[in-house]
Amino acid sequence: MSQAYTPGLKVTPRIRHQVRRILPLSGDVMVKKGDKVQARDVAAQTDMPGDIFPVNLANVLAISPGDVPKSLLVKEGDSVEVGQTIARSEGIFGFFKSEYQAKTAGVVESISGVTGQVILRGQPRPIQVLAYLTGEVVEVLPNEGCVIEADICYVQGIFGIGGEAYGVLESVCETPHDELTADRVTDNLKDKIIIGGARMTGDAVRKAIEIGAAAIISGGMDDSDLKDILGYDLGVAVTGSEHVGTTVIITEGFGDIAMAERTFDLLRTHVGQSAAVNGATQIRAGVMRPEILIPLAAGELSQVQEPRHFGGQLEVGRPVRIIRDPYFGRLGEVADLPAEPAILGSGSKARVLDVKLNDGEQVRVPRANVELIEL
Amino acid sequence: MPNPDDIQVILATDCGSTTTKAILIEKIDGQYRQTYRGEAPTTVEEPVADVTAGVINAVTEVGELAGRKLVDDDGQIIRPANGDVGCDVYISTSSAGGGLQMMVAGLVRQMTGASAKRAALGAGAIVMDMIAANDKRLPHEQIQRIRELRPDMILLSGGTDGGNSRKVVEIAELIAPARPQPRFGSQYRMPLIYAGNAEAAPLVEDVFDDNVELKTVPNIRPVLERENLAPARDAIHDLFLEHVMAHAPGYNKLIGWTDAPIMPTPGAVGDILRTIAERQGVNAVAVDIGGATTDVFSVFPGPDGKPTFNRTVSANLGMSYSISNVVAEATLDSVLRWVHLDMDERELRNRVKNKMIRPTTIPQTLEALVFEQAVSREALRLAYLQHKEFATTLQGVQQQRTVGDTFTQSGGGETIVDNMKLNLLVASGGVLSHAPRMHQTAAMLIDAFEPEGVTRLAKDSIFMMPHLGVLAQVHAQAALEVFEKDCLIYLGTCVAPKGQGKVGKRCFSYDLQAPNLNEHGEMAFGELRMFPLAPDETAHIRIQPARGFDVGAGPGKEYEADVRGGEVGLILDARGRPLALPDQPRETVTKWIQALRLYD
């Protein structure tokens, strides 16, 4: 067998892309089919039922649960205010009455004669789902949300933190091999999406947060810097809900690694344009990668291409990147695909391939340790 | 289902999160043997989104290797077997889509809560959280947690039969308004099993509306001193098939194909371990370390002396998706205790994260392998700690104990996992099964589990325990024959006295006799030594421990036994138990690595 499949990230200059914007609970969809929406428009909204505050009145009033319903001054569905007396015990011969004043405002959801428990539900919390993608509403899912479509430039990163963010793209590195250092992050980048090159330093990320950049994107970063920024050692790769202030995306991996040239060039061609990014990453079944969505200008629309993954068959001559030490981050092309498994330096036996590195050196690595790229 | 005597060819698949494995078991010369194995990527996600596609691919591969046509032109598994076409029985397990994820609730965390958790874990579930009246969270915090979780199923227990109904209804009243959202979308009705105070059942049923699929089963803890886990566990299996699996892509089709109900993978592994331990009369521990989770299974005598099975899932201890969490929980310093080479901390941290984001890569260099095996020791150690904390005297199936016992145990419970009584330790999962040398697998097991006394070590050759677990349901004899002949590869026996001493002082004397082995001498504290003893050989050993050390006969008392060999042989471990590593372990660890010839 001279071919093998390897996965990859999606990086494409033109793609017809759809996003599903769904509420966590049913609610109102604010758009209709055919509407043109901007990324920050509200697509759907709802009220999340308020928090629940159980009160065991039988305990509080020192009465039996069966006596709770008749001690109540309110009924299911009533609204109550903070401090409002909602229950009063009958006491003994009319004396020693005890009362309970609500400690939270809300609506009486249920009253249990079995347990003496009254459930108060607090004020609903409004939730809005933004369009995220500047484009056209192609489908409305009644009470749930909508599907928006647009022709965009689409770049997936490998890992990110922080949720959805919006801003104008600005590039601060001349080549994909330049480190993104703090001195490149200047005050005029507030609300912008900063495009770097190779590793971004911890100081650069902190500076981006300090000046209020929307997002910062570069080839790699050190894990120790990530730990400093988060304030804890990230255990499981399920991210997106961090609140560091700026969405952080790395496109290639951890450590000193340059952004793929194609990704770098692609992002640079869109400097000055608005984009939406999301750092949310989930590396589990149903993998989710961070992404950068750049709506295309009208003149670019005619050239929309089919979506392309950087995946497919390993074949001689195809460009690859090595994604594990000892050659981590090195680029080259497939020189040979030996059919027989080989013994690695670790002593393990595995299917391998020979890679001719860009500097001319030829190395043998496990097939599991490369990914296909496009230069 | 054919007559068991007529079954010649059995096909079994295990649909994992990433890979679907197929094995073929054939009757050869009157005995069942595992003959061929194939695998293919699991297909539960787009663009295929039909698990049977991956099954057919894996089965086709095994068929090609075996020279047997197993799939017809319509993509159906051919049955019965006729010549070199088809199979007689087809069975399957599944952990695809992240397995079965449950939330459990009980009144007292250590009592009905623990019983509910045991029932769920025993059925093969991952327990996402436990809600209990005394879990130190305020009610609104509990409700918030229920709302955030997206379980596949909920198990609610609480109260003894005839006891207080009120508290258990209170818990139901917290769950009902929280309306937990299932993973499978808004059309899915959340299955909820009630296994608490029987008299509270009608009251609990009143609390829930049509949003849940409520099923009431006999109480998990009918009286304080007895557990009855089986009905709840059976209900979990039924609902797993009827609801959870039915919502996973292609499973309805797969359910129609199989000759026995599809089981959650860990449930099947638990069943086969329990069967083997009971049949051989041994105490056993098995571990399956995967990319995301580590499962530990054990069979030890409970307080009533009967074999008691326990299973834990350490959801975030694993070697790829969860490797970063292992390092975060154990700390990098703890991992590096096991490393004898110079490594750069900054680079290691980046390497761990890179493995997390690209979980399918494999170590190419020796240095990378040493580091990965060091991480695995910490993952296994942490998972076993969690298991020991969970498998306490309060736990087990159908235990009988006095009320007095219950009260003395309520303060925390004594673990029933006793490493001195452990007879068989079984390794499974990529980092253990695919280690380039069996010695490395044995060393990882010993360092992480710290077996005491005399313990036999083995590994599951190709991780076929899930297949055999479900096979035991339809053909127990075939499952046992294959387990004994093809499943386990014996690594050897570890002899390790319990106790502490001074490095260099005598720990024990040994006398080892076998046809090809005649050794006697002394082991100093801190030493590790290995002797060859082939898998089919038995050695007679006499161990005379120094004062304060125990090999199983009591402190300082001589121990004599026949022990079995294996691919690695006989390992004498005088490093003491509990195993304490020096502050600057580099030199010591290097000696241990050399003694077991791990990497030379």
Side-chain angles (χ1 to χ4, degrees), chain A residues 1-5 313-316 334 336-339 351 353 367:
Chain A
M1 192 171 107
S2 63
Q3 295 182 329
Y5 178 78
Q313 303 287 327
L314 272 178
E315 288 163 354
V316 171
V334 181
D336 192 17
L337 289 158
R351 303 286 305 276
L353 80 164
R367 291 190 187 189

Side-chain angles (χ1 to χ4, degrees), chain A residues 24-25 48-54 56 58-59 65 109 112 114-115 117 119 121 158-159 199 221-224 226-227 233-237 252-256 283-287 289 321 323-328 344-348 350 364-366 368-369 371, chain B residues 17 45 97-98 139-140 143-144 147 165-171 173-174 177-179 181 186-187 203 292-293 315-316 321-328 346-347 349-351 353-369 372 434-436 440:
Chain A
L25 297 169
M48 179 78 100
D51 292 339
I52 294 162
F53 301 95
N56 197 310
N59 291 349
E109 176 146 315
S112 172
V114 178
T115 63
Q117 186 155 255
I119 305 256
R121 194 179 283 277
I158 190 89
F159 176 82
R199 180 175 74 96
M221 78 186 295
D222 272 350
D223 176 47
S224 44
L226 176 69
K227 185 181 169 188
D233 203 350
L234 183 81
V236 180
E252 317 302 321
F254 285 87
D256 293 311
I283 305 167
R284 288 282 162 118
V287 64
R289 296 285 185 190
R321 171 168 42 205
I323 54 173
R324 177 126 192 188
D325 55 287
Y327 308 107
F328 179 72
L344 308 175
S346 64
S348 299
R364 177 163 284 193
V365 293
N369 293 1
E371 66 185 12
Chain B
S17 312
E45 287 180 28
H140 72 270
I143 290 169
Q144 196 54 38
R147 288 171 73 169
S165 296
R166 191 175 130 186
K167 282 286 179 190
V168 67
V169 178
E170 253 179 37
I171 297 263
E173 285 172 356
L174 295 185
R179 291 198 192 96
Q181 299 292 308
S186 53
Q187 302 306 310
L203 302 172
T293 63
N316 289 324
Y321 297 106
S322 306
I323 189 169
S324 175
N325 196 55
V326 175
V327 177
R346 169 181 172 248
E347 202 187 312
R349 293 193 68 93
N350 287 336
R351 210 183 272 177
K353 284 289 188 297
N354 283 326
K355 171 83 177 182
M356 174 185 81
I357 57 179
R358 292 187 170 95
T360 52
T361 61
I362 59 174
Q364 178 173 1
T365 61
L366 185 65
E367 186 203 20
L369 181 81
E372 208 155 293
H434 297 151
Q440 293 161 358

Side-chain angles (χ1 to χ4, degrees), chain B residues 203-222:
Chain B
L203 302 172
V204 168
E205 282 162 16
D206 282 347
V207 171
F208 291 102
D209 55 19
D210 291 341
N211 284 321
V212 300
E213 181 82 31
L214 182 68
K215 182 166 187 172
T216 302
V217 299
N219 195 349
I220 217 164
R221 197 112 181 198

Side-chain angles (χ1 to χ4, degrees), chain A residues 31-369:
Chain A
V31 294
K32 55 186 190 304
K33 191 173 173 184
D35 280 359
K36 300 275 190 287
V37 291
Q38 294 296 310
R40 290 185 231 201
D41 289 350
V42 176
Q45 63 185 27
T46 189
D47 286 329
M48 179 78 100
D51 292 339
I52 294 162
F53 301 95
V55 183
N56 197 310
L57 285 178
N59 291 349
V60 174
L61 301 179
I63 58 176
S64 71
D67 289 338
V68 165
K70 62 184 177 191
S71 303
L72 275 170
L73 305 174
V74 291
K75 57 186 188 306
E76 282 180 14
D78 283 358
S79 295
V80 299
E81 298 299 327
V82 176
Q84 181 182 338
T85 304
I86 63 167
R88 185 178 296 127
S89 70
E90 290 183 333
I92 303 168
F93 306 121
F95 296 101
F96 308 112
K97 290 181 180 176
S98 48
E99 291 183 345
Y100 177 78
Q101 278 94 27
K103 292 187 173 54
T104 178
V107 174
V108 180
E109 176 146 315
S110 69
I111 300 162
S112 172
V114 178
T115 63
Q117 186 155 255
V118 170
I119 305 256
L120 289 178
R121 194 179 283 277
Q123 295 300 321
R125 282 179 289 146
I127 288 185
Q128 291 187 328
V129 171
L130 303 185
Y132 183 51
L133 179 62
T134 298
E136 183 182 338
V137 178
V138 293
E139 189 183 353
V140 169
L141 308 161
N143 305 321
E144 284 189 71
C146 62
V147 180
I148 299 166
E149 188 178 89
D151 296 322
I152 61 165
C153 162
Y154 185 77
V155 175
Q156 273 184 335
I158 190 89
F159 176 82
I161 57 167
E164 292 171 5
Y166 308 88
V168 171
L169 295 171
E170 288 295 342
S171 171
V172 297
C173 293
E174 282 69 48
T175 78
H177 306 281
D178 294 345
E179 263 198 357
L180 174 45
T181 46
D183 57 298
R184 294 179 188 264
V185 181
T186 48
D187 289 349
N188 62 333
L189 294 172
K190 183 176 188 301
D191 297 329
K192 300 281 170 56
I193 296 172
I194 304 168
I195 310 296
R199 180 175 74 96
M200 57 177 121
T201 65
D203 285 342
V205 179
R206 278 184 284 273
K207 183 81 180 291
I209 294 168
E210 187 189 311
I211 63 153
I216 182 164
I217 300 163
S218 210
M221 78 186 295
D222 272 350
D223 176 47
S224 44
D225 289 331
L226 176 69
K227 185 181 169 188
D228 281 349
I229 289 154
L230 286 174
Y232 57 88
D233 203 350
L234 183 81
V236 180
V238 177
T239 67
S241 57
E242 298 75 17
H243 297 288
V244 296
T246 298
T247 293
V248 181
I249 295 175
I250 54 174
T251 57
E252 317 302 321
F254 285 87
D256 293 311
I257 183 163
M259 188 182 289
E261 210 145 315
R262 186 166 179 270
T263 308
F264 182 79
D265 291 344
L266 195 54
L267 291 173
R268 293 254 292 189
T269 59
H270 293 285
V271 162
Q273 286 179 243
S274 291
V277 302
N278 189 356
T281 309
Q282 285 189 21
I283 305 167
R284 288 282 162 118
V287 64
M288 185 194 282
R289 296 285 185 190
E291 58 184 11
I292 302 147
L293 287 72
I294 310 163
L296 293 177
E300 298 169 295
L301 296 183
S302 58
Q303 302 165 40
V304 165
Q305 296 174 340
E306 284 302 303
R308 262 164 49 185
H309 281 267
F310 276 19
Q313 303 287 327
L314 272 178
E315 288 163 354
V316 171
R318 286 205 67 173
V320 291
R321 171 168 42 205
I322 303 174
I323 54 173
R324 177 126 192 188
D325 55 287
Y327 308 107
F328 179 72
R330 305 279 295 272
L331 303 174
E333 61 174 46
V334 181
D336 192 17
L337 289 158
E340 289 302 311
I343 304 284
L344 308 175
S346 64
S348 299
K349 202 173 184 185
R351 303 286 305 276
V352 293
L353 80 164
D354 292 329
V355 179
K356 188 176 177 195
L357 299 175
N358 286 353
D359 62 6
E361 188 188 354
Q362 186 158 317
V363 296
R364 177 163 284 193
V365 293
R367 291 190 187 189
N369 293 1

